[in-house]
Amino acid sequence: MPKEHKKRGRREEKKRKREQEENDSITKRRKSNDEQDVETNVDEDDQYNSSGYVPVSEPGELPFYGLLDEEEQEYFKRADTMLELNQFGDAEERDLFLANVYQEANGKELKIANSQSCSRLMERLILMSTPEQLKALFEKFGGHFLNLAQHRFASHCCETLFVQAAAIVSEELTAPAKAKPTTNAVQPPTAEQLFLSTVAELEGNLGYLMTDRFASHTLRVLLVVLSGRPLVDAQTTTLLQSKKKENIKLSSRDIPPPNISSSARTVPDSFSAALDRMVKGMLAGLDTTSLRALVSHPVANPLLQLLLDLEFHRSGKSIAKDTNSLFRKLLPDDPPGDGTDSAAFLNGMLYDPVGSRLLEVLVTNSPGKTFKTLYQTLFRNKLPNLAKNETASYVLIKVLERLNKDDLQAAVDEVCPQIQLLVERARTSVIKCLVERCRMRKVDTQPLAVALREAYGQEPVARMMKMLQLDRVGNETISDGRRKQIETQDPTRAHRSLLAQSMLEVPGPLQDLITEGILAMDNDTLLSMARDRSATHVLQKSLTCSGDTARYRRMILPRLGGMTMDLATDPVGSHVVDAFWTGSEGLWFVREKIAERLLQHETALRDSVPGRAVWRNWKMDMYKTRRYEWVSEAKGGVPERKTGIELARERYAAKKQVPSMKGGRQQRKTNSFRTGANAVIAGQG
């Protein structure tokens, strides 16, 4: 980094003093804000002291690592922009640029991680770094993880570093052992050693970090890494980060995706011991009363969910017998029958927006004997009331997923009278869960179909309009951006669409409710449905769903085929045209007719992005130039026609193997008049 060019003179000296005073004021303002944040956190914790939870003493004030000067900030911002755009000539040029950035950042890593404007650069560097660069950065952060984890911006850098370094641990375990050098040079630490040193650094402060709004996220990532669980998983992602997290992404051009496994990872045995130490450190000194108070803590609750989930997966059924486990500390009564203190605690969590999430984990993973007791005590006699409650309905969904066939049938009979009220309150997730579980358990769906028909109406078109809220989309002449904004304002529309899609997957009366409504629509309503961002998925599912839908497809595809060009160039409707291919299976004449319409409007299709996707998915280049191959593929694998040279070779081989009588006499006549060295004597050769 070039040195700053300083000017001499009294004016320049006054200017430097003024800038120094501004930096000092920023530092003081930052410290005062941090103190105010600490006071806010203490006030938040005070509301839990009345419940019996005594917060662990927090560490001292966070250290200040300094500020980047203007020139450094400008350089790192420009580097972040270049990495985000990724307009390098090749991979070698990008690697050279990364090396230069690392060289400039040498000694300033902590400043960059704590900087609001440059911490994104640090995350992007971590995502693009080699294993050697990651371990070097890990060493630079070593000894400061306790402070970095509590920082608003640096905590995100720690999380990204842990996730990326987790893959290095697995690679070092599975890679063949390298020969040790004969020299006495100090070997760099392995990724396993770096993680273990981080755990040792955080020990002693885990109780306080559980309720820290930034460090709690870092602890969750560290626990997942030590456990070997998948890092890319729907459930894991929900526990690790909030919806407000800003995801730093890389441009896909010439950059390999981050090495993050979506399956279980191989971890060393030392990680299991470190995980046990972390869990004991978090739960040390917390009795049943304190833990139950933390269940309602908005920051500590996700961490307790992860700890409980890890306990169930590591200990299995034996967790119910371990008196020191988190599960047994929360529910000391075995079993938690009616009238016990544990049952009263669970009943209170049912309607708590925060505590109910832990109850979902408990219901999903608890041993069979414990779940049966919970179902008999808490849920069986109040299923309709739970279904109507906004918070308890999510717990009920987890309960329904574990019921056997007989209990599920009884639950359907109890909830069906409340379908009308559930539809009015937009509790379609419970109805969707019932539909899916009935399909899995082979339970009769006729009661559900009758209740849904009464709730949404007897007239088919009005029923579909009410179910999908098609009458609320607005004028079709508005712009696509405004239409998307209107459609996404009501999140219940997506849930209604998912309910209709789940009904289509159940052959019988539930599927007929949807197909009857679609067939009864006029062409304008069908076109509006195909262009709607939520309802279009229902139309696509009706063309590709399982079951005997041949009659429905024969009736709906000719009508939709007339709208091919209106849909093919629409960003949403083009996906319906893609579904025509699967929906027209076994209907060769319909498939060919749609392809002919697409060929007639080739220019219009190639001029639009959705149209080009439709042209490619329908293999229209093959249809235009190699019609026979397209027809054979469209008809379902008819043997391809042989080329002319292949047919000629077959004729020649057949003629050579079975010569005709005339050809034989001509051959013998020719041989009898041959002379010279190559002549064949009759009767020889």
Side-chain angles (χ1 to χ4, degrees), residues 16 31 40 91 344 349 354 417 442 670 678:
R16 283 195 294 270
K31 291 183 178 180
T40 304
M349 280 203 302
V354 178
K442 309 297 182 183
T670 304
N678 295 329

Side-chain angles (χ1 to χ4, degrees), residues 201-215:
E201 179 183 347
L202 297 179
E203 285 180 343
N205 299 283
L206 296 174
Y208 163 73
L209 297 179
M210 286 178 63
T211 56
D212 186 87
R213 57 176 178 169
F214 302 128

Side-chain angles (χ1 to χ4, degrees), residues 14 19 71 100 219 350 392 506 520 577 612 614 619 653 685:
K14 292 180 180 179
E19 291 177 353
E71 187 177 355
N100 292 334
L219 285 184
L350 264 175
V506 186
V577 182
R612 288 194 292 269
V614 170
K619 304 177 179 63

Side-chain angles (χ1 to χ4, degrees), residues 277-290:
R277 293 200 309 271
M278 286 191 66
V279 174
K280 291 180 180 178
M282 293 178 188
L283 303 181
L286 297 178
D287 56 3
T288 300
T289 304
S290 301

Side-chain angles (χ1 to χ4, degrees), residues 382-390 392-393 396 415 422 427 430:
K382 47 185 176 182
L383 294 179
N385 295 330
L386 296 178
K388 292 183 292 185
N389 186 269
E390 182 179 4
S393 59
L396 178 60
V415 176
L422 293 178
R427 302 282 184 267
V430 177

Side-chain angles (χ1 to χ4, degrees), residues 383-384 387 396 400 410-420 422 430-431 434 448 451:
L383 294 179
L396 178 60
L400 294 175
V412 170
D413 296 337
E414 291 189 31
V415 176
C416 276
Q418 306 296 328
I419 293 290
Q420 176 73 39
L422 293 178
V430 177
I431 306 175
L434 283 175
L448 274 175

Side-chain angles (χ1 to χ4, degrees), residues 10 47 199 226 239 273 349-350 362 366 368 475 485 488 572 583:
R10 289 177 296 176
Q47 61 181 326
V199 174
L226 295 177
L239 289 174
M349 280 203 302
L350 264 175
L362 191 63
S366 60
N475 192 359
Q485 182 181 3
T488 54
V572 178

